[in-house]
Amino acid sequence: MIRSIIVDDEPHGRHSLKNALAKYCPDVEVVAVCENAEQGIEAINQTQPDLVFLDIQMPTMSGFDLLQQLAPISFGVIFVTSFDQFAVKAFKFSALDYLLKPINPEELIQAVAKVDNDSIVSIKNRFGSLLNNLHFKSGKIEKLAVPTSEGIDFFNTNDIIFCQAEGNYTTLFLSGKKKEIVPRTLKDFDNLLHTSGFCRVHNATLVNLTHVQKYIKGEGGYVILTDGHHVDISRRKKEEFLSMLDKI
């Protein structure tokens, strides 16, 4: 059995999640139900659960505050959230499990199924990167945190010139002629950085528009970047690229 705790300030949220677990996840035992983060901290310390279903937006103390008080984290975490679309992308990028309200039974089953495969080190690293990626100004991320097997790598987004797809990995071309290969797909970077001045100009390439030095016309055309790289613009991405470039 997976011993779990529910922490949610909404009575309906607590009730519906507990019922869903009983119906769809019989291997999950709910050992405590808490209506705020303070109760959650007490229950976690007393019961030492395997898994915590944690609401994020709660009065006086958020779900993030709860975890920071309990660090180092010794249990699995599935966030329960009504966050906006940007935050959902940050969750996906950090590879943390989350459930959007109202809870979908199939997504609940899938999230619980991953608990046994999570290592504590991985949970801590991914949580740390999530917190960093959720701190942004005017919809733009200034520093990107990328969870890796060794920890977390941090990159100033202004230093990222362009990103190149390498299967399930992405190569970041950085200022100073530096390169880094990170274990995230280009789609992951596109989802998180699209509102931060980056444009997917090709299936395999994501460009930081502030590093575009020159655009050469053509069927799709190509750009010359500040590090000297020439990057093709696909024909179907040309209009979006030029529109975004005008706004920089």
Side-chain angles (χ1 to χ4, degrees):
M1 293 293 288
I2 299 173
R3 300 171 66 258
S4 72
I5 286 177
I6 296 171
V7 184
D8 191 333
D9 68 311
E10 298 177 359
H12 176 71
R14 298 192 299 270
H15 180 72
S16 61
L17 177 54
K18 186 176 181 180
N19 286 345
L21 288 169
K23 184 175 182 179
Y24 300 106
C25 304
D27 56 337
V28 176
E29 176 190 6
V30 178
V31 297
V33 178
C34 308
E35 62 184 41
N36 55 52
E38 290 82 359
Q39 288 183 9
I41 291 173
E42 184 178 353
I44 290 167
N45 286 330
Q46 288 180 353
T47 64
Q48 298 296 306
D50 305 306
L51 173 64
V52 174
F53 293 92
L54 184 60
D55 189 15
I56 297 173
Q57 294 169 306
M58 295 182 287
T60 69
M61 187 185 297
S62 72
F64 295 146
D65 295 331
L66 177 150
L67 290 176
Q68 287 175 322
Q69 288 210 15
L70 290 172
I73 303 163
S74 59
F75 46 84
V77 179
I78 296 176
F79 290 101
V80 183
T81 179
S82 300
F83 260 20
D84 62 19
Q85 189 60 32
F86 178 86
V88 170
K89 290 175 181 178
F91 274 82
K92 289 181 179 179
F93 189 89
S94 300
L96 278 164
D97 290 319
Y98 66 95
L99 297 170
L100 284 176
K101 297 177 181 179
I103 290 170
N104 179 294
E106 187 174 326
E107 293 176 355
L108 173 63
I109 293 169
Q110 292 174 355
V112 170
K114 298 175 186 176
V115 173
D116 290 340
N117 299 324
D118 271 336
S119 71
I120 301 306
V121 172
S122 178
I123 291 170
K124 288 191 292 185
N125 287 341
R126 288 178 292 155
F127 170 65
S129 69
L130 171 69
L131 287 179
N132 189 83
N133 292 334
L134 283 173
H135 285 80
F136 59 98
K137 297 179 180 178
S138 304
K140 294 184 178 182
I141 296 177
E142 296 184 346
K143 181 172 285 190
L144 184 68
V146 181
T148 68
S149 58
E150 297 178 350
I152 303 173
D153 290 338
F154 293 91
F155 302 96
N156 290 321
T157 53
N158 287 339
D159 291 337
I160 301 174
I161 299 171
F162 72 103
C163 309
Q164 190 80 37
E166 303 287 348
N168 289 326
Y169 289 76
T170 298
T171 299
L172 305 184
F173 290 80
L174 306 167
S175 298
K177 303 290 185 179
K178 297 177 183 178
K179 289 198 301 186
E180 292 285 346
I181 299 175
V182 297
R184 286 291 178 275
T185 66
L186 188 66
K187 182 179 179 180
D188 292 331
F189 281 96
D190 187 17
N191 283 337
L192 201 63
L193 294 175
H194 189 73
T195 58
S196 297
F198 285 72
C199 179
R200 185 85 170 262
V201 298
H202 192 277
N203 279 343
T205 314
L206 180 70
V207 168
N208 185 343
L209 296 176
T210 61
H211 282 281
V212 173
Q213 207 165 45
K214 190 173 185 180
Y215 170 66
I216 309 299
K217 293 180 179 179
E219 187 174 3
Y222 68 91
V223 292
I224 300 174
L225 303 176
T226 53
D227 65 349
H229 273 97
H230 291 208
V231 174
D232 290 332
I233 311 295
S234 73
R235 184 170 51 186
R236 65 184 184 86
K237 290 287 188 180
K238 180 179 179 179
E239 184 177 342
E240 179 188 357
F241 164 73
L242 291 176
S243 174
M244 290 183 66
L245 195 62
D246 283 341
K247 298 174 184 177
I248 294 299

